[in-house]
Amino acid sequence: MEKQYVTLKVNGKEYEFPVGTRIGEIPDSETLSQTLRNRLELTGSKESCGEGACGCCTVILDGDAVTSCMLLTVECEGKDIITIEGLADPITGELDPIQQAFIDYYSFQCGYCTPGIIMASKALLDKNPHPTQEELAEALSGNYCRCISHYTVMEALNSIAGNKEA
Ligand code: FES
Ligand code: FES
Protein backbone atom coordinates (compact mmCIF):
# COMPACT_ATOMS: atom_id res chain seq x y z
CA MET A 1 0.00 0.00 0.00
CA GLU A 2 1.28 3.46 -0.87
CA LYS A 3 2.58 5.43 2.10
CA GLN A 4 0.46 8.40 3.16
CA TYR A 5 1.97 11.69 4.27
CA VAL A 6 0.65 14.89 5.78
CA THR A 7 2.38 18.16 4.98
CA LEU A 8 2.11 21.19 7.23
CA LYS A 9 3.63 24.63 6.96
CA VAL A 10 4.31 25.84 10.48
CA ASN A 11 5.76 29.28 11.17
CA GLY A 12 7.01 29.40 7.58
CA LYS A 13 8.71 25.97 7.64
CA GLU A 14 7.39 22.93 5.78
CA TYR A 15 7.11 19.59 7.56
CA GLU A 16 6.12 16.25 6.10
CA PHE A 17 5.03 13.43 8.39
CA PRO A 18 4.26 9.84 7.51
CA VAL A 19 0.77 8.78 8.54
CA GLY A 20 0.34 5.47 10.33
CA THR A 21 0.52 3.71 13.65
CA ARG A 22 4.22 2.86 13.84
CA ILE A 23 6.72 4.84 15.91
CA GLY A 24 7.36 8.23 14.32
CA GLU A 25 4.15 8.13 12.30
CA ILE A 26 1.10 10.26 12.88
CA PRO A 27 -1.98 8.23 13.73
CA ASP A 28 -5.37 9.36 12.45
CA SER A 29 -6.36 10.23 16.01
CA GLU A 30 -3.52 12.69 16.69
CA THR A 31 -4.60 16.28 17.19
CA LEU A 32 -2.84 19.30 15.76
CA SER A 33 -2.13 20.40 19.32
CA GLN A 34 -0.31 17.12 20.02
CA THR A 35 1.69 17.36 16.79
CA LEU A 36 2.76 20.93 17.46
CA ARG A 37 3.66 20.33 21.08
CA ASN A 38 5.04 16.78 21.04
CA ARG A 39 6.65 16.47 17.62
CA LEU A 40 7.69 20.03 16.82
CA GLU A 41 8.32 21.07 20.45
CA LEU A 42 6.22 24.19 19.93
CA THR A 43 4.91 24.15 23.47
CA GLY A 44 3.82 27.79 23.57
CA SER A 45 0.26 26.79 22.71
CA LYS A 46 -1.11 25.18 25.85
CA GLU A 47 -3.52 22.34 26.23
CA SER A 48 -6.02 22.58 29.08
CA CYS A 49 -9.57 21.36 28.48
CA GLY A 50 -8.77 19.33 25.36
CA GLU A 51 -12.31 19.79 24.12
CA GLY A 52 -12.54 23.19 22.48
CA ALA A 53 -13.83 25.11 25.49
CA CYS A 54 -10.93 27.18 26.86
CA GLY A 55 -8.97 28.55 23.90
CA CYS A 56 -5.55 27.86 25.48
CA CYS A 57 -4.44 25.85 22.42
CA THR A 58 -5.40 28.52 19.86
CA VAL A 59 -3.21 28.85 16.76
CA ILE A 60 -3.82 30.55 13.42
CA LEU A 61 -4.65 28.25 10.52
CA ASP A 62 -4.93 29.79 7.06
CA GLY A 63 -5.60 33.14 8.70
CA ASP A 64 -8.25 32.04 11.19
CA ALA A 65 -7.96 31.40 14.91
CA VAL A 66 -8.64 27.71 15.64
CA THR A 67 -8.48 25.51 18.71
CA SER A 68 -5.74 23.05 17.82
CA CYS A 69 -7.03 20.40 20.25
CA MET A 70 -10.13 20.07 18.07
CA LEU A 71 -8.37 19.44 14.76
CA LEU A 72 -6.88 16.19 13.59
CA THR A 73 -3.45 16.65 12.07
CA VAL A 74 -4.28 14.40 9.12
CA GLU A 75 -7.06 16.84 8.26
CA CYS A 76 -4.61 19.76 8.12
CA GLU A 77 -2.87 18.67 4.92
CA GLY A 78 -1.32 21.69 3.18
CA LYS A 79 -2.44 24.16 5.84
CA ASP A 80 -0.46 27.22 6.84
CA ILE A 81 -0.18 27.36 10.63
CA ILE A 82 1.20 30.06 12.87
CA THR A 83 1.88 29.48 16.54
CA ILE A 84 2.92 31.93 19.24
CA GLU A 85 6.55 30.99 18.47
CA GLY A 86 6.09 32.38 14.97
CA LEU A 87 5.11 35.93 15.96
CA ALA A 88 8.43 37.51 16.86
CA ASP A 89 10.73 38.60 14.04
CA PRO A 90 12.94 35.55 13.36
CA ILE A 91 16.00 37.68 12.60
CA THR A 92 15.87 40.50 15.12
CA GLY A 93 13.77 38.77 17.77
CA GLU A 94 11.57 41.86 17.96
CA LEU A 95 8.22 40.95 19.48
CA ASP A 96 4.94 41.30 17.66
CA PRO A 97 3.21 44.53 18.80
CA ILE A 98 0.53 42.44 20.54
CA GLN A 99 3.16 40.59 22.57
CA GLN A 100 4.84 43.88 23.47
CA ALA A 101 1.53 45.43 24.51
CA PHE A 102 0.81 42.45 26.79
CA ILE A 103 4.14 43.13 28.52
CA ASP A 104 3.57 46.88 28.68
CA TYR A 105 0.08 46.47 30.19
CA TYR A 106 0.95 43.50 32.46
CA SER A 107 -1.79 41.56 30.68
CA PHE A 108 -1.20 38.17 32.29
CA GLN A 109 -0.64 36.54 35.63
CA CYS A 110 0.23 32.82 35.40
CA GLY A 111 0.32 33.19 31.60
CA TYR A 112 -1.22 29.81 30.79
CA CYS A 113 -4.01 31.31 28.72
CA THR A 114 -1.87 34.07 27.21
CA PRO A 115 -0.56 32.40 24.01
CA GLY A 116 -4.11 31.46 23.03
CA ILE A 117 -5.43 34.94 23.73
CA ILE A 118 -2.60 36.53 21.75
CA MET A 119 -3.18 34.23 18.77
CA ALA A 120 -6.93 34.87 18.75
CA SER A 121 -6.20 38.62 18.92
CA LYS A 122 -3.61 38.36 16.16
CA ALA A 123 -6.07 36.61 13.82
CA LEU A 124 -8.59 39.41 14.37
CA LEU A 125 -6.12 42.31 14.11
CA ASP A 126 -4.59 40.93 10.91
CA LYS A 127 -8.02 41.17 9.29
CA ASN A 128 -9.27 44.23 11.13
CA PRO A 129 -6.50 46.50 12.51
CA HIS A 130 -8.95 48.79 14.30
CA PRO A 131 -11.60 46.61 15.93
CA THR A 132 -14.03 48.09 18.41
CA GLN A 133 -13.96 46.96 22.02
CA GLU A 134 -17.04 44.83 21.25
CA GLU A 135 -15.32 43.17 18.30
CA LEU A 136 -12.30 42.43 20.46
CA ALA A 137 -14.48 40.93 23.17
CA GLU A 138 -16.32 38.82 20.59
CA ALA A 139 -13.05 37.52 19.12
CA LEU A 140 -11.89 36.50 22.60
CA SER A 141 -15.18 35.03 23.73
CA GLY A 142 -13.75 31.51 23.47
CA ASN A 143 -10.64 32.26 25.51
CA TYR A 144 -10.85 31.77 29.27
CA CYS A 145 -8.49 33.12 31.88
CA ARG A 146 -8.66 31.70 35.38
CA CYS A 147 -6.54 34.56 36.73
CA ILE A 148 -9.03 37.19 35.57
CA SER A 149 -6.52 39.15 33.49
CA HIS A 150 -9.28 40.20 31.07
CA TYR A 151 -9.20 43.87 32.07
CA THR A 152 -5.52 44.35 31.34
CA VAL A 153 -5.83 42.21 28.19
CA MET A 154 -8.47 44.62 26.92
CA GLU A 155 -6.28 47.59 27.83
CA ALA A 156 -3.41 46.17 25.78
CA LEU A 157 -5.62 45.37 22.81
CA ASN A 158 -7.47 48.69 22.92
CA SER A 159 -4.10 50.44 22.80
CA ILE A 160 -3.19 48.57 19.61
CA ALA A 161 -6.62 49.06 18.08
CA GLY A 162 -6.45 52.79 18.83
CA ASN A 163 -9.58 52.73 21.00
CA LYS A 164 -9.98 55.52 23.48
CA GLU A 165 -10.71 52.99 26.26
CA ALA A 166 -6.95 52.24 26.33
S1 FES B 1 -7.24 22.92 25.17
FE1 FES B 1 -8.08 23.37 23.23
S2 FES B 1 -9.79 24.61 23.66
FE2 FES B 1 -9.06 24.03 25.63
S1 FES C 1 -3.17 34.54 33.21
FE1 FES C 1 -3.51 32.70 34.33
S2 FES C 1 -5.07 31.67 33.20
FE2 FES C 1 -4.88 33.61 32.26
Side-chain angles (χ1 to χ4, degrees), residues 47-60:
E47 194 158 326
S48 182
C49 70
E51 53 187 36
C54 72
C56 289
C57 64
T58 302
V59 299
I60 298 177

Side-chain angles (χ1 to χ4, degrees), residues 37-72:
R37 290 178 51 80
N38 302 339
R39 295 183 192 272
L40 301 184
E41 298 183 0
L42 297 171
T43 54
S45 310
K46 303 293 184 257
E47 194 158 326
S48 182
C49 70
E51 53 187 36
C54 72
C56 289
C57 64
T58 302
V59 299
I60 298 177
L61 183 139
D62 283 354
D64 294 319
V66 296
T67 46
S68 59
C69 72
M70 295 300 288
L71 290 170
L72 296 174

Side-chain angles (χ1 to χ4, degrees), residues 7-154:
T7 307
L8 308 176
K9 190 169 175 188
V10 183
N11 299 335
K13 257 175 92 175
E14 288 220 1
Y15 298 89
E16 186 178 68
F17 299 101
V19 176
T21 52
R22 289 184 297 195
I23 291 175
E25 296 178 337
I26 293 197
D28 288 344
S29 59
E30 182 166 311
T31 65
L32 179 60
S33 170
Q34 291 169 331
T35 301
L36 294 172
R37 290 178 51 80
N38 302 339
R39 295 183 192 272
L40 301 184
E41 298 183 0
L42 297 171
T43 54
S45 310
K46 303 293 184 257
E47 194 158 326
S48 182
C49 70
E51 53 187 36
C54 72
C56 289
C57 64
T58 302
V59 299
I60 298 177
L61 183 139
D62 283 354
D64 294 319
V66 296
T67 46
S68 59
C69 72
M70 295 300 288
L71 290 170
L72 296 174
T73 301
V74 292
E75 292 177 338
C76 295
E77 167 59 30
K79 300 293 186 189
D80 195 345
I81 296 153
I82 303 173
T83 71
I84 188 82
E85 290 88 348
L87 291 196
D89 186 298
I91 312 260
T92 65
E94 187 181 348
L95 296 177
D96 182 276
I98 303 174
Q99 292 174 300
Q100 189 58 55
F102 270 58
I103 293 171
D104 295 343
Y105 285 84
Y106 304 100
S107 301
F108 46 85
Q109 293 183 53
C110 78
Y112 201 82
C113 67
T114 309
I117 292 179
I118 289 178
M119 296 314 286
S121 308
K122 173 80 177 158
L124 171 67
L125 287 160
D126 280 352
K127 292 179 190 162
N128 175 7
H130 303 293
T132 62
Q133 180 144 255
E134 290 70 32
E135 288 170 328
L136 286 165
E138 172 64 26
L140 297 182
S141 60
N143 292 82
Y144 290 87
C145 173
R146 291 179 179 83
C147 304
I148 318 184
S149 61
H150 306 85
Y151 299 106
T152 49
V153 163
M154 290 307 287

